[in-house]
Amino acid sequence: MPLDRSHIRRLSMRFDGTAHPAVEMDWVPAQPGDPLQEIDTPALILDLDRFEANLKRMNEFASGARVRVRPHAKTHKCAEIARRQIDVFGAGICCQKLGEAEAMLSGDLTDVLITNQVVGERKMRRLARLARAYAPARVGVCVDNVDVARQLATICQAEEARMEVYVDVDLGQNRTGVQTAEEAVELARILVDSPTLAFMGLHAFSSLAQHRRGVPERRNAADRGAVRTSVIREALSSANLPCDVICGGGSGSFPYEAASGVFSEVHAGSFAFMDVNYARNEPDPGAPAFEFAMFVLSCVMSVGGNERATLDVGLKTFATDCGPPRPTFPGWRVRSVTDEHTVLIRTEDGVPIRLGDKALLIPARCDGTVNLHDWIVAVRNNTVEAVWPVDARGALY
């Protein structure tokens, strides 16, 4: 059955700005049943066997540690992937932006938490109307400011909406979150007293712990965050304020939040795909090992003897803020990356590369890479099984 291509449909334009009546550019990189080598490039590839194995390993770990896993959808921005994660973990999904939450809820998800601040009347009204429109679906958000909390309560009352709210805790990154127990108690009281807001607990994410390369350094950073969070939990308890959920953690630190006795829910995202940046972390023997499941498929568009191969992918195809991608061609490394090209050079014992060969690259950072693509091509045994839209691509608002 042909794919519904309405997700990306653009009409070619005349010079006067009107649509050409006969020409429609309607591109999808593959159809189910296509062999891997026939997928058009550039394409974002998801190896389903590896992806599913990563979910299984995380679920086994979380079950043993007695914590919930609420995966972060900012990694994949895809409602179909979110549904598959929820089928495994049984919890909801995280988002980082209101636009992502809109895309996930419109994809029939029923439990979405925005692990970020939503500030300003216009956005708050969007959020309140979203919660009302999809009720009884659970919609949550984080706050770290009393004025924002009061404004959100007022808007939710006016819009006849109800919402779950978490107090965001700063664990040392000085980015968002309350910095003292007193601030957390004041905020929680406002939430508890509001008829339209439900105080759920604390959101405490330690971004500083995620890419500490050594195991002791990551563990120590996460443990410091857990201690800081436990102090705030005790202050809430002393003030007779319920704190049912403490959530946070990422793909680099979740084993330590899970072991802390403080966190009840972890929010890792990248583990499902993995990337070069997370693979640089020293493996912890007590944590599950995840496989690379996300790749960018490219084509060799030019060769220079046996020493240089140029691919049809570049800065517009994968994120490079954490470095270049890793080629899967043995004996080749990335020399340079520009807008539309990646140049590989041969090292010792490099395999021969021919014009037109397809090359799989492992992105250095999966989140930023996914946001550059319209489609995720799901592959099993080198055959396309499905093609899914990146529903929240560009949802930065």
Side-chain angles (χ1 to χ4, degrees):
M1 184 176 189
L3 290 167
D4 176 7
R5 300 181 179 185
S6 60
H7 173 71
I8 172 171
R9 183 159 296 199
R10 304 182 182 96
L11 295 178
S12 64
M13 308 302 288
R14 293 193 183 99
F15 290 114
D16 63 3
T18 61
H20 193 290
V23 180
E24 185 176 347
M25 294 181 292
D26 190 3
W27 178 85
V28 127
Q31 292 284 336
D34 287 349
L36 175 67
Q37 292 300 313
E38 291 184 13
I39 298 171
D40 201 1
T41 59
L44 194 62
I45 306 297
L46 178 63
D47 185 307
L48 285 171
D49 287 334
R50 293 183 175 202
F51 166 70
E52 291 164 2
N54 286 344
L55 299 190
K56 181 181 178 182
R57 290 173 187 140
M58 174 64 91
N59 191 50
E60 290 172 348
F61 173 86
S63 297
R66 298 185 178 180
V67 294
R68 289 187 303 276
V69 178
R70 181 189 286 267
H72 220 304
K74 75 183 181 72
T75 298
H76 53 73
K77 291 176 172 276
C78 174
E80 177 60 31
I81 289 178
R83 286 190 289 269
R84 288 170 181 246
Q85 291 178 318
I86 290 170
D87 286 345
V88 172
F89 299 118
I93 204 81
C94 293
C95 294
Q96 196 70 354
K97 292 288 187 171
L98 176 53
E100 291 176 348
E102 289 169 334
M104 294 299 110
L105 287 163
S106 67
D108 297 328
L109 276 72
T110 59
D111 186 352
V112 175
L113 169 60
I114 302 171
T115 55
N116 204 352
Q117 324 299 314
V118 174
V119 176
E121 181 177 352
R122 184 171 182 174
K123 273 195 171 63
M124 286 185 187
R125 287 200 181 276
R126 266 178 62 205
L127 176 60
R129 289 167 182 169
L130 186 71
R132 183 185 66 203
Y134 284 96
R138 298 174 60 186
V139 178
V141 71
C142 294
V143 297
D144 68 355
N145 180 278
V146 293
D147 293 332
V148 170
R150 291 189 179 106
Q151 185 181 18
L152 182 60
T154 299
I155 288 173
C156 282
Q157 188 165 6
E159 296 290 342
E160 298 181 341
R162 183 168 175 80
M163 196 172 308
E164 299 179 351
V165 185
Y166 296 73
V167 171
D168 192 22
V169 178
D170 178 12
L171 295 186
Q173 55 262 33
N174 196 24
R175 185 173 68 182
T176 64
V178 299
Q179 297 185 342
T180 68
E182 291 75 17
E183 290 177 275
V185 168
E186 183 182 9
L187 256 177
R189 282 200 177 107
I190 293 170
L191 301 176
V192 168
D193 290 342
S194 169
T196 57
L197 304 179
F199 173 54
M200 300 299 294
L202 303 176
H203 170 259
F205 174 64
S206 179
S207 65
L208 299 177
Q210 302 312 310
H211 294 102
R212 300 284 176 93
R213 297 308 182 193
V215 169
E217 291 80 10
R218 287 201 308 281
R219 180 186 292 113
N220 290 341
D223 287 350
R224 287 193 297 270
V227 169
R228 190 166 184 167
T229 305
S230 67
V231 169
I232 294 176
R233 179 184 62 181
E234 292 306 314
L236 292 170
S237 178
S238 297
N240 294 317
L241 293 166
C243 186
D244 294 334
V245 180
I246 296 181
C247 57
S251 294
S253 67
F254 73 87
Y256 316 119
E257 280 97 1
S260 69
V262 176
F263 288 80
S264 56
E265 187 173 280
V266 293
H267 291 172
S270 297
F271 78 93
F273 292 167
M274 279 300 290
D275 56 31
V276 172
N277 195 26
Y278 268 111
R280 294 188 184 115
N281 286 355
E282 177 190 0
D284 188 328
F290 302 115
E291 302 177 73
F292 292 122
M294 174 65 71
F295 305 88
V296 170
L297 183 68
S298 62
C299 180
V300 177
M301 61 185 299
S302 177
V303 293
N306 294 319
E307 306 303 319
R308 188 263 298 165
T310 302
L311 310 178
D312 64 345
V313 294
L315 298 173
K316 298 176 184 177
T317 316
F318 42 71
T320 58
D321 53 317
C322 296
R326 180 186 296 175
T328 56
F329 277 141
W332 293 79
R333 66 177 179 85
V334 174
R335 187 192 76 186
S336 61
V337 179
T338 52
D339 280 355
E340 312 292 355
H341 302 97
T342 294
V343 178
L344 305 181
I345 57 172
R346 187 173 182 169
T347 60
E348 292 184 9
D349 301 322
V351 299
I353 294 181
R354 298 169 299 177
L355 193 67
D357 281 352
K358 298 290 180 71
L360 286 170
L361 302 172
I362 305 168
R365 188 166 70 88
C366 52
D367 297 34
T369 298
V370 170
N371 194 52
L372 296 170
H373 291 261
D374 292 301
W375 304 100
I376 294 173
V377 182
V379 172
R380 197 186 305 274
N381 297 324
N382 291 323
T383 302
V384 177
E385 187 167 299
V387 182
W388 301 321
V390 182
D391 303 281
R393 180 190 177 182
L396 310 176
Y397 39 87

